[in-house]
């Protein structure tokens, strides 16, 4: 403040400023009394006192000592230390509850204060300026955040889950002690990300982790299941799930996530797959014999022209074909899960395969109209048997989920260097929510209409895996109650 302004200011300007300042108290350095000299309005509010009642009194006479304050934050200790050390002393946080005269209760409050010595000419502390700031909201926010962290920690510990945080710019890596345990070390071992990565199965690293990482940078979510080798040579499975954090410029800066040990679940799954594979294999042999016996019977009996016998033989044959298809699906499922599903690629015209598959399917459901107009040749290089299986599955679903007299239309076209096959029915259709999940393993729509239609929910899953392995796409367009169009595309073998 410039000196020439002073004459325009009221004489007691400093007193006014002091009294209007937030939370200030001036006491004399006359230890142990510490006489109160001046006090601000806010300080009076907080302590529920009046200026007349406390100015001139010793601090501890006005405010009897609060025994709940610890020694370090006790006013007598602090004031005495300011006088003795002649240093400013801060108390970063302490609790002092404010009395509410209306409710006659104390309200929990947290404060921070600063005790500044004011010296006389000889350098002794004549006054102590005590300035107080209300930090209740900050303390509450801090407590809430600690509580959240503790809750999260408890939840992750209860789920035996490890957490990790990867800095994408500086490659920093922070993880919870559980991660070391999952990788076969004691919880207090400091683990390095690069070392952990060497424990991941080499094939899984190349085929699963690296693609998942690149996909995460695009989609924002990171998820994979891989095998890891522990230092004692045992093999375990882990599942990692995470999210990508982006900066203001939408650049990925961090990845955070969790890791859990899924070995037990995986072993159960493997046992289940082995069981399905074994059971399917055992069923195949008697079924092949039944099929052969039906064929022998047909050879002998068809010439007799007994229409009842012929129809019954045809129906028995169809049922055996359905069962054989089902068993093949189960075998494919277990081969797929154990990575043993082989593809034999040959070049063929899609129109031909569609026609053949329609003919085979129609045998199983005679009378249900299927329309197909073969167009010009459309070549693909693919596993004809497996693609036939996909078409057969889409067709048998179309038959299964629509009325017997409604027409099913099959179309085969070319689109952007791809061959596209579409199977359209006028059946029960699928709502948007279920459409997202149809291609998952064992997924079946749950509705009244589905109650009497049997199935295992593996046809579309297998179809989608087969198409993906051919670098194609598969999808559905449908509305509930208004039929469905299932389609797939495969890269064309020659320019079309
Ligand atoms: P499944 O038919 O043996 O149950 P899929 O994997 O072939 O198994 O099909 C999964 C589910 O998708 C079916 O249970 C059914 O709910 C639904 N779905 C498949 N095709 C159709 C269709 N054409 N119309 C209506 N729903 C269908």
């Amino acid at each position: 403040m410039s000196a020439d302004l002073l004459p325009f200011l009221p004489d007691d300007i400093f007193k006014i400023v002091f009294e209007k300042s937030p939370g200030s108290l001036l006491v004399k350095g006359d230890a142990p009394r510490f006489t109160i000299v001046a006090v601000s309005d806010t300080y009076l509010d907080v302590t529920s006192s009046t200026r007349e009642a406390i100015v001139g009194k010793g601090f501890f006479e006005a405010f009897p000592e609060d025994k709940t304050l610890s020694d370090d934050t006790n006013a007598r200790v602090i004031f005495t230390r300011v006088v003795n050390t002649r240093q400013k002393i801060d108390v970063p946080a302490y609790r002092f509850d404010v009395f509410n005269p209306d409710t006659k209760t104390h309200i929990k409050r947290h404060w921070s204060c600063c005790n500044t010595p004011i010296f006389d000419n000889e350098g002794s502390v004549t006054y102590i300026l005590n300035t107080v700031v209300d930090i209740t909201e900050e303390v509450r926010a801090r407590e809430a955040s600690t509580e959240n962290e503790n809750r999260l920690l408890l939840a992750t510990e209860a789920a035996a889950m490890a957490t990790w945080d990867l800095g994408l710019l500086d490659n920093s890596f922070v993880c919870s002690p559980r991660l070391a345990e999952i990788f076969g070390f004691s919880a207090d071992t400091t683990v390095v990300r690069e070392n952990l990565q060497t424990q991941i199965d080499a094939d899984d690293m190349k085929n699963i982790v690296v693609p998942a990482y690149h996909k995460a940078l695009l989609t924002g979510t990171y998820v994979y299941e891989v095998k890891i080798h522990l230092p004692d040579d045992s093999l375990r499975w882990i599942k990692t799930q995470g999210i990508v954090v982006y900066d203001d410029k939408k650049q990925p800066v961090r990845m955070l996530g969790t890791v859990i040990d899924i070995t037990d679940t995986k072993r159960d799954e493997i046992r289940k797959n082995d069981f399905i594979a074994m059971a399917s294999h055992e069923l195949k042999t008697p079924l092949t014999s039944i099929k052969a016996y039906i064929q022998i019977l047909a050879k002998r009996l068809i010439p007799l022209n007994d229409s009842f016998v012929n129809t019954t033989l045809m129906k028995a044959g169809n049922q055996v074909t359905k069962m054989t298809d089902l068993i093949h699906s189960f075998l494919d499922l277990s081969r797929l899960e154990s990575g043993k599903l082989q593809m034999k690629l040959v070049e063929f015209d899609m129109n031909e395969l569609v026609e053949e598959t329609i003919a085979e399917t129609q045998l199983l459901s005679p009378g249900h109209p299927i329309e197909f107009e073969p167009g010009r040749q459309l070549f693909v290089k693919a596993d004809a048997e497996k693609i036939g299986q996909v078409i057969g599955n889409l067709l048998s679903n179309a038959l299964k989920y629509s009325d017997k007299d409604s027409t099913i239309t099959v179309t085969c076209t070319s689109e952007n260097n791809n061959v596209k096959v579409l199977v359209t029915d006028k059946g029960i259709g699928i709502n948007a929510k279920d459409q997202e999940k149809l291609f998952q393993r064992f997924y079946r729509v749950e509705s009244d209409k589905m109650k009497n239609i049997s199935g295992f929910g593996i046809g579309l899953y297998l179809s989608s895996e087969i198409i993906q392995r051919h670098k194609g796409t598969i999808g559905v367009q449908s509305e509930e109650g208004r039929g469905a169009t299932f389609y797939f595309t495969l890269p064309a073998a020659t320019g079309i």
Side-chain angles (χ1 to χ4, degrees):
M1 194 182 298
S2 76
D4 53 359
L5 278 179
L6 281 173
F8 300 103
L9 293 171
D11 292 345
D12 55 358
I13 181 68
F14 293 112
K15 187 168 169 276
I16 296 170
V17 169
F18 189 90
E19 289 180 355
K20 299 298 166 207
S21 70
S24 305
L25 177 88
L26 190 68
V27 293
K28 276 190 182 166
D30 55 349
R33 188 166 194 271
F34 298 108
T35 312
I36 298 173
V37 181
V39 60
S40 72
D41 296 347
T42 329
Y43 203 104
L44 291 171
D45 276 353
V46 168
T47 53
S48 316
S49 38
T50 60
R51 196 161 276 120
E52 296 70 40
I54 65 168
V55 171
K57 283 200 177 142
F59 183 84
F60 301 102
E61 201 186 329
F63 306 113
E65 274 173 282
D66 188 344
K67 298 279 183 279
T68 60
L69 288 179
S70 73
D71 272 358
D72 276 355
T73 54
N74 179 295
R76 187 182 293 281
V77 174
I78 302 285
F79 288 169
T80 312
R81 210 179 283 159
V82 174
V83 172
N84 293 344
T85 61
R86 303 166 64 244
Q87 301 282 328
K88 171 172 165 276
I89 294 182
D90 294 338
V91 181
Y94 65 97
R95 188 170 149 190
F96 176 80
D97 295 345
V98 176
F99 183 70
N100 181 338
D102 298 333
T103 58
K104 307 243 182 308
T105 53
H106 279 87
I107 302 159
K108 196 169 155 186
R109 283 251 183 263
H110 296 272
W111 308 90
S112 154
C113 78
C114 192
N115 300 279
T116 314
I118 298 170
F119 305 105
D120 62 12
N121 291 340
E122 273 97 56
S124 320
V125 176
T126 35
Y127 296 106
I128 300 171
L129 176 64
N130 173 245
T131 39
V132 179
V133 181
D134 185 345
I135 55 162
T136 308
E137 288 314 314
E138 283 161 65
V139 171
R140 276 193 195 140
R142 216 164 36 226
E143 281 174 357
S145 133
T146 316
E147 200 180 312
N148 282 344
E149 270 173 33
N150 287 342
R151 213 177 288 147
L152 190 66
L153 199 68
L154 271 176
T156 54
E157 273 173 13
M161 199 180 252
T163 53
W164 53 268
D165 185 341
L166 171 69
L168 297 175
L169 303 180
D170 57 2
N171 218 19
S172 58
F173 183 67
V174 184
C175 62
S176 66
R178 173 74 189 136
L179 195 67
E181 286 183 327
I182 291 178
F183 276 77
F185 304 99
S186 62
D188 57 2
T189 313
T190 311
V191 290
V192 179
R193 181 170 163 255
E194 285 72 18
N195 293 347
L196 296 184
Q197 281 180 332
T198 62
Q199 286 183 241
I200 297 176
D201 184 81
D203 282 343
D204 286 358
M205 185 74 196
K206 192 171 90 199
N207 301 327
I208 302 174
V209 179
V210 174
Y213 179 85
H214 292 300
K215 192 173 164 199
L217 294 181
L218 297 174
T219 61
T221 47
Y222 192 40
V223 55
Y224 62 74
E225 292 179 13
V226 289
K227 297 185 278 298
I228 57 168
H229 301 274
L230 265 53
D232 65 3
D233 274 344
S234 59
L235 186 74
R236 298 194 76 79
W237 275 263
I238 57 163
K239 179 172 184 169
T240 295
Q241 261 178 306
I243 51 153
V244 181
V245 180
Y246 299 87
D247 66 8
D248 298 346
K249 292 176 197 118
K250 304 231 177 324
Q251 289 301 311
V253 284
R254 271 170 76 197
M255 264 192 198
L256 327 166
T258 57
V259 176
I260 48 168
D261 185 325
I262 53 163
T263 308
D264 291 344
T265 325
K266 272 282 166 193
R267 289 206 175 123
D268 279 351
E269 222 171 86
I270 289 170
R271 269 196 290 273
K272 193 182 68 200
N273 280 342
D274 288 350
F275 173 78
I276 293 175
M278 248 164 48
S280 310
H281 198 77
E282 291 302 312
L283 285 170
K284 229 170 68 174
T285 321
L287 211 56
T288 315
S289 306
I290 297 175
K291 196 170 185 162
Y293 291 135
I294 292 174
Q295 279 165 357
I296 294 169
L297 278 177
K299 227 178 198 170
R300 290 238 179 143
L301 299 178
I302 285 175
L304 303 179
N305 275 336
D306 181 329
S307 70
F308 172 76
V309 171
N310 290 0
T311 321
T312 312
L313 274 177
M314 193 190 70
K315 283 185 180 165
N318 284 349
Q319 293 305 323
V320 171
T321 309
K322 275 190 188 170
M323 258 175 103
T324 314
D325 286 350
L326 195 62
I327 284 171
H328 278 134
S329 303
F330 281 135
L331 279 171
D332 279 349
L333 182 73
S334 71
R335 283 191 200 119
L336 186 87
E337 315 246 293
S338 57
K340 290 183 196 141
L341 193 70
Q342 304 283 344
M343 301 288 164
K344 285 182 236 122
L345 304 188
V346 288
E347 211 167 289
F348 61 87
D349 173 18
M350 187 62 86
N351 288 287
E352 265 180 43
L353 184 65
V354 169
E355 262 188 322
E356 276 169 30
T357 320
I358 290 177
E360 280 166 24
T361 315
Q362 209 137 34
L363 284 179
L364 301 177
S365 192
H368 202 143
I370 303 179
E371 268 180 11
F372 175 59
E373 291 279 333
R376 69 186 173 93
Q377 289 183 313
L378 297 168
F379 284 98
V380 290
K381 192 169 182 186
D383 185 317
E385 200 189 311
K386 298 268 177 302
I387 300 300
Q389 226 173 294
V390 174
I391 302 169
N393 179 45
L394 300 187
L395 277 173
S396 57
N397 278 348
L399 294 168
K400 207 155 85 168
Y401 300 110
S402 66
D403 286 338
K404 214 168 167 18
D405 53 0
S406 71
T407 306
I408 289 156
T409 315
V410 185
T411 322
C412 199
T413 64
S414 67
E415 192 181 275
N416 306 326
N417 268 346
N418 287 313
V419 171
K420 187 172 189 179
V421 177
L422 303 99
V423 178
T424 304
D425 65 62
K426 297 179 184 139
I428 59 173
I430 309 134
N431 66 37
K433 223 165 142 229
D434 284 314
Q435 284 177 36
E436 290 168 19
K437 300 181 191 150
L438 284 191
F439 298 94
Q440 291 172 6
R441 195 176 55 158
F442 304 134
Y443 191 80
R444 301 201 76 220
V445 174
E446 279 177 27
S447 69
D448 286 343
K449 284 183 191 139
M450 288 284 300
K451 267 189 191 144
N452 302 319
I453 312 177
S454 65
F456 288 95
I458 56 173
L460 287 181
Y461 168 68
L462 271 178
S463 301
S464 121
E465 289 289 324
I466 291 170
I467 296 297
Q468 275 176 37
R469 265 149 226 243
H470 283 85
K471 302 206 170 5
T473 57
I474 188 163
V476 60
Q477 273 170 349
S478 178
E479 246 179 79
E480 199 169 0
R482 312 195 67 171
T485 295
F486 279 85
Y487 63 85
F488 68 87
T489 65
L490 289 178
T494 47
I496 47 175

